[in-house]
Amino acid sequence: MHARRFACLVLGLWLGGIVLMDWISVRNQSGADALLGQSPIARIQLAPLGANARPLLHFVAAEQNRADFQEWESVQLVLGVLFFLAMLFGSREHAVLLAGLLLMVLLVVLQKFAIGPQWAALGRWLDSLPADQVAAVRHKFWVMQAGYSGVDG
């Protein structure tokens, strides 16, 4: 019975982490605009950049998001393996449930080693493009983001 409680704890941490990461991601992006809009010191120090200040702050926020999501992928992998092992050795679950849990862990592996790096590289490329060329690449980026989010939960 204790293994099931542990498994529920791990699953709760995993699901809570997904919500937390989404919240952090939104806060990072909105923080760039808030910094320019609410901080007179930031406006003064960023004034020499002119119109380049906002894109630079959004790039920094996007890089922070990419780093945060890479770390979260590693945490998800650990939580997923712990959850699977707790259910495998600590309870008498059906093979179908265990196969579903293994599929969840494999999806995290796919996310960490295939989808995540491509999504991050495409985001960096998109951030470096001039504004007139962004539209052609943005659709591919949003498709990748939808795939990433779909695997994430």
Side-chain angles (χ1 to χ4, degrees):
M1 190 63 171
H2 293 295
R4 278 194 163 178
R5 289 182 185 158
F6 177 72
C8 287
L9 172 69
V10 172
L11 183 60
L13 290 172
W14 194 352
L15 294 173
I18 290 170
V19 172
L20 180 65
M21 287 305 299
D22 289 340
W23 181 74
I24 287 171
S25 172
V26 170
R27 293 281 299 180
N28 281 347
Q29 287 298 327
S30 63
D33 290 327
L35 181 66
L36 286 175
Q38 298 173 358
S39 174
I41 294 171
R43 280 196 304 266
I44 291 169
Q45 294 198 349
L46 294 171
L49 295 175
N52 292 329
R54 180 165 269 114
L56 177 64
L57 290 175
H58 279 281
F59 175 76
V60 170
E63 279 297 310
Q64 183 63 50
N65 282 341
R66 286 188 271 271
D68 290 345
F69 277 107
Q70 284 179 342
E71 290 296 321
W72 173 239
E73 291 163 0
S74 298
V75 171
Q76 282 189 100
L77 194 55
V78 169
L79 289 173
V81 168
L82 284 175
F83 184 49
F84 176 74
L85 292 175
M87 295 306 286
L88 179 65
F89 296 116
S91 69
R92 296 181 195 129
E93 298 301 331
H94 296 284
V96 174
L97 178 70
L98 292 173
L101 297 177
L102 186 58
L103 177 65
M104 287 172 56
V105 173
L106 292 175
L107 285 173
V108 172
V109 169
L110 175 74
Q111 181 184 32
K112 179 164 180 56
F113 296 109
I115 298 172
Q118 289 180 12
W119 180 49
L122 188 61
R124 282 189 190 97
W125 184 48
L126 186 64
D127 289 341
S128 69
L129 288 177
D132 59 337
Q133 295 178 1
V134 168
V137 180
R138 188 172 304 278
H139 176 70
K140 185 175 181 181
F141 175 78
W142 287 114
V143 168
M144 288 291 295
Q145 183 163 349
Y148 187 92
S149 297
V151 169
D152 202 31

